[in-house]
Amino acid sequence: MLLLLKVLRRMLGLSSKDKKLRQKPHFSWCTKGESTLSHSLRDNMAFLQKSFQGCSDIVFREFGIGNGRGPKGAVIFFEGLVDKKIINDNVLKPLMYLTSLDGKMPDRVDAALIRQLNISVAEVREVKYRDEVIDAVLDGKAAVLIDRSTMALVLSIPGWERRKVEEPTSEKVIRGPREGFTETLSVNVALIRRRIKDTRLKIKTLSLGTRSKTRVALFYMEDVIKKEILEEIEKRLSTVDFDMVEEVGTIEEFIEDNPYSPFPQVMITERPDKVVSNIAEGRACIMIDCSPFAMVMPITLASLYQSPEDYYERPLYGTAVRILRFAAFFIATSLPALYVAMVSFHHELIPSRLVLTLARGRVEVPFPAFLEALLMELTIEFIREASTRLPGVLSQTVGVVGGLVLGTAAVQANLVSPAMVIVVSLTAITTFTVPIYSLSYPIRIIRFPLMFLAASFGLFGLAFGWNIILIHLCTLESFGIPYLSPYAPLKIRDMKDAILRFPLWAMKKRPKVPHAQDETRLGNLKGDHKRD
Amino acid sequence: MTEGTTKKENILSNVDLFVMLARVGLGAVSTGGVYVQVAQKAGRDGWISFILALGIIFFAIFIIVNLNKRFCGYTIIEYGEFILGKWGGKVLGSLLVLYFLLQTAAIVRFTSEMVITWMLNNTPHYMIMALIVFLAVYIARNGLLVVSRFCILVSMLVLALPILTFFPIKDWKLHNILPVGDSGFTGITSGVFWALFAYVGYEILLMLYPYVQDKRKVLRTSLLAFLYVGVLYTLFMAAIILLFGPSELIFFLYPVLNYLKAIDVPFVERVDTFILFITLFSAVANIGVVYTLTCLGVGQLFGIKRRKNIAIWLSPLVFAVAAFPKNSAVLNELYKFFPILNLTFGIFIPFILLVISVILKRSKEEMP
């Protein structure tokens, strides 16, 4: 009864209870613990050994400084994460043979002195707390502890295996840079930094995931991005309180606007040039360690349909290709539904000679058009899923077997009509024209409800389905930016770079969405040689 | 989006206003029987009736904008109480909301009639209406901003319609429309009454005005929007007359669709069904605008803060009203009262309110 009342109140809109956003504090890169390091190396070691108990990959290397004349010291690191050669040559050797110029030991050996004189590693940090030492070691750094010193040194000597910068596999271009992101954040940061040599490109790092403590970097152009958008992104990032952050997708789920929408509300890409051009337009980008994918936000549907190549080739081709992609979007989502609607409800729409051909093909097919379409579409989805999971060589074979053999055999067995095979292969091909892979999922999924609606209500069903899709797209926003901009709401200036791709010299200002602070993009010269 | 009873966010740009007005003005009726009614009265001069009716609409818009200007930031439901007293205002507000609801239901019914006649002859009526009402609820739940975006999308879809009008140009017969002024002054003016019905929708300005950002341009935008609508109606009417002639025209139920049937495209046998397909989008946009305003009005009338679910609660009523006429014949009988209602709420009431507020010197500054 009480529940019923509650539901009624909610539905009447009387309840004033608002979902309060859980506010979590920012996770700093290192958690500051309470306990500081003690004077005694033995105490510190005991504590660390207890903390790392059961971690068989940890290395504790104790040594005497200056041939045993100085205090004792220890290096702690995880095997495989740290470059052992550098530890040997640049840390252990100088410390163990430590002497001053006159051959005597310095009076007092502590962390600060060693940092200045003896360790030839570029990135060294002094830390005070035990937790900081643990965090640093977990992050793949080496820690140096010295007896009678309350400071420890944290050395950054990455030695783990990393993949080389290769051509991105999910977004290939014919013309354009062939570099793709890798799994190492520092490499990715360098890839972006190399493309924007400007101090106003800011990179904020933080760590997310209570267990994974994944390093996350937020990129933006300080003077271009709209302040409110940046604040919103930071606010949402601070609410991610999950234990494991393995991929940007994990963060995406926590910070996107509408988690139930089939449409992606951030752009996932592995191309540095794409990220860079988006950052320059006033968007922000999030990258995490251990993932080659960058997440760009806020985005619009139109921006998901842009490929970097559109800008590298001549404007005319850029425009033509974009129109082609938009047409492909509609074919991929609606062609099977349209076929079902036409064949089962509206024969009169099809020109009479074509309708005869279609009918001849369907004479011996025992299924209604909807079932026929559903069967074929499902088969295609199975083949696609199988070829993604299979090893490289096999996947091609499955593609050929599935596509050609199955299609032909199905027609010969009179299970489907030849026209249906054409429709299905056309939809399958057009699905692949999307430049962003995550956008191909909604297209593949939308197809099925549309087919069902078309089978139930013909063209009216199709219109009903598309009405819902369009209304849904109108409600979508990505970090406060309307998803369908520049079409709805209408932004005339941004139309220069939506379906059409104007020449770069004609786009003097940045697009209105996402509300860049600094709108000027083109300098004073504006390619004036054209007027001479 | 927060919409307090008095404080409103100025969320609509003038482009949004233009598109919404044009969308509602063109409406689902644009394919329907208006042309037949006008042609019955004004014969081959029907297109002149549309032009004359546009003048009246301009006058109405002028009144509405001037009335709203006095109470900037409030909708008619709120300032009605101030002009007519508490109960007078409530009655006026209720009537207006009921009128909007009726209009929503009417468009739902017209659209489903059209679908049944042209697309799905065997599907039960209530099924189509239920689906359309579902769309109306979905769109109205999300507020004005989403409706305006949807209207823009739909307007882009139907942009090709005026161009299609010129496709059967080789079959136009000039003697169908000449001589101009054949029906005489009385014929043309009696056509105006029905032509006015085509423009139904201008009265949404009463509710939309407070939500527009740049209030100075509202008058210009609204006039331009209806000029666009008027030009299109005149063009459609003239084209239909040119093709069919006034005597043949009056036998059609949906003259525009019949007109488009004449178009021959190699890969589509029947362009009209495809146009109807696109018209369904504009009908949903039209229903969306009016239904959203109905829900906003109900919210303001009863002071309900959270308005999202009003759309759900009102939907059975919309469905019931839409399903009320038993068949098309009853519908056509009832439909004759609609222009009178429209004139009452679109011109008469705003005019009276404007006069009263001028005489009693009521304006926003004196509002409590």
Side-chain angles (χ1 to χ4, degrees):
Chain A
M1 192 62 205
L2 213 73
L3 195 78
L4 198 72
L5 257 170
K6 229 175 183 176
V7 171
L8 264 176
R9 272 173 67 92
R10 264 196 78 89
M11 293 188 90
L12 273 168
L14 296 172
S15 143
S16 59
K17 236 190 276 172
D18 268 336
K19 260 191 225 161
K20 272 181 194 150
L21 201 66
R22 268 201 309 159
Q23 281 289 358
K24 284 276 167 187
H26 252 285
F27 292 96
S28 65
W29 172 220
C30 276
T31 41
K32 293 244 165 17
E34 286 301 312
S35 64
T36 51
L37 287 162
S38 92
H39 267 281
S40 149
L41 177 68
R42 201 195 292 162
D43 283 1
N44 289 334
M45 288 296 279
F47 176 80
L48 291 174
Q49 269 163 352
K50 199 178 158 211
S51 304
F52 288 113
Q53 206 172 28
C55 306
S56 59
D57 51 343
I58 189 97
V59 175
F60 290 98
R61 168 74 163 92
E62 290 185 58
F63 55 89
I65 295 177
N67 294 324
R69 281 179 292 162
K72 283 204 154 197
V75 186
I76 303 141
F77 57 89
F78 274 115
E79 202 174 353
L81 294 186
V82 169
D83 191 339
K84 271 194 193 161
K85 194 172 179 321
I86 296 181
I87 293 262
N88 290 341
D89 295 351
N90 301 21
V91 181
L92 287 176
K93 250 186 213 166
L95 282 176
M96 290 167 81
Y97 302 122
L98 174 90
T99 44
S100 61
L101 282 175
D102 52 3
K104 286 179 190 164
M105 268 305 290
D107 299 335
R108 187 174 151 65
V109 179
D110 64 358
L113 185 83
I114 288 178
R115 178 190 177 174
Q116 278 177 12
L117 297 178
N118 297 88
I119 292 180
S120 44
V121 171
E123 201 186 321
V124 181
R125 210 154 46 89
E126 279 177 55
V127 295
K128 206 160 96 179
Y129 296 97
R130 284 171 167 174
D131 288 353
E132 280 182 296
V133 175
I134 293 176
D135 276 349
V137 172
L138 283 171
D139 191 40
K141 298 193 162 98
V144 176
L145 298 173
I146 314 284
D147 199 20
R148 298 200 294 278
S149 172
T150 53
M151 297 292 245
L153 294 180
V154 168
L155 322 174
S156 188
I157 325 165
W160 60 82
E161 285 304 315
R162 46 174 82 173
R163 193 164 61 93
K164 278 205 182 111
V165 174
E166 287 164 2
E167 191 176 357
T169 43
S170 70
E171 294 163 81
K172 285 198 171 153
V173 294
I174 309 280
R175 182 168 167 187
R178 310 232 181 247
E179 282 178 328
F181 288 125
T182 72
E183 281 79 0
T184 317
L185 185 59
S186 52
V187 174
N188 297 345
V189 172
L191 282 175
I192 293 180
R193 196 48 103 178
R194 244 160 50 89
R195 286 175 167 80
I196 308 181
K197 299 177 183 76
D198 189 342
T199 50
R200 286 166 293 190
L201 167 67
K202 301 293 178 196
I203 304 169
K204 273 190 187 170
T205 52
L206 56 147
S207 122
L208 289 179
T210 44
R211 273 178 201 283
S212 66
K213 294 196 182 104
T214 313
R215 202 142 41 121
V216 177
L218 173 67
F219 302 75
Y220 56 89
M221 288 295 268
E222 186 188 35
D223 60 332
V224 180
I225 193 169
K226 194 187 176 196
K227 284 268 157 16
E228 289 77 14
I229 292 177
L230 185 64
E231 280 163 15
E232 184 65 32
I233 293 172
E234 287 181 337
K235 197 179 100 190
R236 289 189 194 179
L237 268 181
S238 70
T239 60
V240 180
D241 189 13
F242 201 56
D243 62 342
M244 292 297 289
V245 176
E246 302 108 343
E247 223 275 337
V248 274
T250 319
I251 303 179
E252 179 189 346
E253 261 184 57
F254 282 97
I255 66 172
E256 68 191 348
D257 293 65
N258 188 344
Y260 298 112
S261 169
F263 290 93
Q265 291 140 57
V266 294
M267 185 198 289
I268 304 287
T269 174
E270 48 178 334
R271 298 192 60 86
D273 52 337
K274 203 164 185 171
V275 167
V276 164
S277 68
N278 276 301
I279 289 178
E281 278 187 4
R283 298 192 173 91
C285 162
I286 291 176
M287 295 204 70
I288 72 169
D289 205 12
C290 304
S291 165
F293 288 99
M295 182 162 70
V296 176
M297 75 224 76
I299 50 133
T300 57
L301 188 63
S303 69
L304 287 180
Y305 260 92
Q306 295 166 355
S307 161
E309 223 173 347
D310 304 351
Y311 302 95
Y312 305 149
E313 286 290 351
R314 306 175 59 73
L316 196 64
Y317 307 144
T319 306
V321 171
R322 279 187 187 176
I323 292 173
L324 207 67
R325 274 190 220 126
F326 262 83
F329 176 73
F330 290 107
I331 292 176
T333 46
S334 314
L335 190 64
L338 200 63
Y339 175 81
V340 171
M342 297 267 235
V343 170
S344 10
F345 285 89
H346 312 283
H347 323 272
E348 75 277 8
L349 282 183
I350 314 169
S352 32
R353 296 187 70 170
L354 181 60
V355 83
L356 286 178
T357 320
L358 285 182
R360 216 174 295 133
R362 280 187 51 76
V363 165
E364 292 186 27
V365 178
F367 307 119
F370 171 60
L371 209 60
E372 191 190 352
L374 193 69
L375 266 177
M376 284 309 278
E377 286 297 341
L378 278 177
T379 314
I380 283 280
E381 292 301 320
F382 286 138
I383 293 172
R384 179 155 27 194
E385 189 61 20
S387 57
T388 325
R389 308 287 155 236
L390 274 174
V393 191
L394 275 177
S395 74
Q396 273 193 355
T397 324
V398 168
V400 173
V401 170
L404 284 172
V405 181
L406 213 62
T408 325
V411 171
Q412 279 173 354
N414 284 328
L415 291 178
V416 292
S417 63
M420 191 66 232
V421 177
I422 296 173
V423 165
V424 169
S425 36
L426 206 58
T427 43
I429 292 166
T430 43
T431 315
F432 294 120
T433 56
V434 193
I436 297 276
Y437 189 67
S438 53
L439 192 62
S440 70
Y441 285 108
I443 295 175
R444 283 158 63 181
I445 286 181
I446 283 172
R447 195 182 295 156
F448 290 95
L450 280 183
M451 263 156 52
F452 179 73
L453 282 168
S456 318
F457 298 102
L459 274 181
F460 175 76
L462 193 57
F464 177 80
W466 265 106
N467 263 309
I468 289 197
I469 294 169
L470 289 184
I471 297 171
H472 172 71
L473 284 173
C474 287
T475 62
L476 273 189
E477 285 187 352
S478 167
F479 294 84
I481 300 295
Y483 199 56
L484 282 184
S485 161
Y487 308 111
L490 199 64
K491 301 272 183 244
I492 304 284
R493 194 213 285 165
D494 294 9
M495 285 292 191
K496 285 181 180 176
D497 192 12
I499 279 197
L500 304 178
R501 202 284 263 178
F502 272 49
L504 291 175
W505 44 262
M507 295 190 268
K508 289 173 185 157
K509 291 188 168 172
R510 293 201 168 85
K512 270 198 171 166
V513 171
H515 312 291
Q517 286 181 50
D518 175 14
E519 289 201 321
T520 326
R521 174 145 71 175
L522 196 68
N524 291 325
L525 293 172
K526 297 174 186 171
D528 274 347
H529 73 91
K530 284 185 190 61
R531 287 178 210 149
D532 295 339
Chain B
M1 200 168 71
T2 50
E3 296 144 3
T5 17
T6 47
K7 195 171 162 284
K8 277 168 205 73
E9 284 183 9
N10 299 330
I11 46 175
L12 299 178
S13 68
N14 274 287
V15 177
D16 294 338
L17 180 70
F18 179 92
V19 172
M20 282 166 98
L21 283 175
R23 195 72 272 117
V24 175
L26 278 171
V29 198
S30 60
T31 52
V34 182
Y35 307 97
V36 181
Q37 305 281 4
V38 175
Q40 272 174 356
K41 296 284 185 309
R44 67 188 71 225
D45 291 322
W47 58 281
I48 304 177
S49 301
F50 276 99
I51 296 176
L52 290 181
L54 188 63
I56 298 175
I57 298 300
F58 279 177
F59 175 67
I61 289 172
F62 191 69
I63 290 175
I64 292 173
V65 170
N66 272 302
L67 175 65
N68 272 304
K69 229 188 230 168
R70 299 177 71 85
F71 304 94
C72 215
Y74 295 90
T75 63
I76 185 166
I77 291 173
E78 288 157 353
Y79 62 69
E81 287 186 30
F82 180 62
I83 299 176
L84 301 174
K86 192 172 179 201
W87 290 108
K90 286 269 186 228
V91 169
L92 174 74
S94 315
L95 285 176
L96 195 74
V97 165
L98 273 178
Y99 167 71
F100 276 130
L101 194 110
L102 191 69
Q103 199 179 332
T104 314
I107 313 169
V108 169
R109 180 61 188 245
F110 281 132
T111 314
S112 82
E113 287 279 337
M114 204 157 66
V115 170
I116 297 285
T117 320
W118 284 79
M119 273 184 177
L120 304 167
N121 301 330
N122 301 323
T123 312
H125 227 306
Y126 63 87
M127 201 77 196
I128 307 288
M129 282 193 291
L131 288 177
I132 298 175
V133 170
F134 175 82
L135 288 174
V137 171
Y138 185 34
I139 198 167
R141 260 176 73 84
N142 288 302
L144 268 181
L145 207 57
V146 167
V147 179
S148 75
R149 287 178 197 162
F150 186 66
C151 284
I152 292 179
L153 277 189
V154 169
S155 302
M156 287 177 180
L157 267 180
V158 296
L159 222 53
L161 198 57
I163 303 167
L164 276 179
T165 320
F166 292 101
F167 272 51
I169 204 161
K170 64 178 189 316
D171 298 323
W172 284 4
K173 292 171 201 83
L174 261 185
H175 63 80
N176 275 335
I177 207 164
L178 292 175
V180 176
D182 184 37
S183 317
F185 183 72
T186 40
I188 293 173
T189 41
S190 54
V192 168
F193 178 75
W194 280 102
L196 272 179
F197 182 52
Y199 295 106
V200 166
Y202 59 92
E203 66 275 12
I204 64 164
L205 196 57
L206 279 172
M207 290 290 292
L208 272 185
Y209 186 89
Y211 296 96
V212 183
Q213 275 162 9
D214 191 354
K215 303 247 179 350
R216 281 171 304 167
K217 285 187 192 156
V218 171
L219 184 64
R220 194 170 47 170
T221 312
S222 320
L223 291 182
L224 272 176
F226 272 89
L227 183 66
Y228 169 71
V229 173
V231 167
L232 282 191
Y233 270 125
T234 314
L235 173 70
F236 289 157
M237 187 70 198
I240 294 169
I241 295 172
L242 276 166
L243 187 68
F244 297 123
S247 46
E248 193 183 342
L249 168 60
I250 51 176
F251 294 110
F252 292 131
L253 206 52
Y254 301 98
V256 171
L257 291 179
N258 281 315
Y259 178 83
L260 293 168
K261 222 171 156 179
I263 300 176
D264 210 19
V265 183
F267 48 90
V268 185
E269 195 78 1
R270 296 262 306 268
V271 180
D272 51 315
T273 314
F274 261 107
I275 296 300
L276 180 57
F277 177 72
I278 292 170
T279 312
L280 282 174
F281 290 86
S282 76
V284 170
N286 196 345
I287 294 165
V289 174
V290 185
Y291 193 45
T292 309
L293 291 178
T294 315
C295 297
L296 270 179
V298 170
Q300 282 163 8
L301 200 62
F302 298 107
I304 301 172
K305 287 265 162 57
R306 281 167 63 99
R307 304 217 173 125
K308 271 202 135 178
N309 293 325
I310 297 176
I312 300 177
W313 293 109
L314 282 182
S315 60
L317 198 59
V318 174
F319 181 80
V321 175
F324 176 69
K326 260 186 233 146
N327 50 38
S328 307
V330 181
L331 184 69
N332 277 335
E333 282 305 307
L334 291 173
Y335 162 87
K336 283 179 182 150
F337 294 103
F338 207 83
I340 300 167
L341 273 179
N342 176 252
L343 287 181
T344 317
F345 285 98
I347 300 177
F348 185 64
I349 289 180
F351 185 71
I352 299 286
L353 286 180
L354 184 64
V355 169
I356 294 176
S357 64
V358 168
I359 292 172
L360 299 178
K361 292 195 176 127
R362 300 257 160 121
S363 66
K364 185 188 164 191
E365 284 72 40
E366 291 143 44
M367 262 178 95

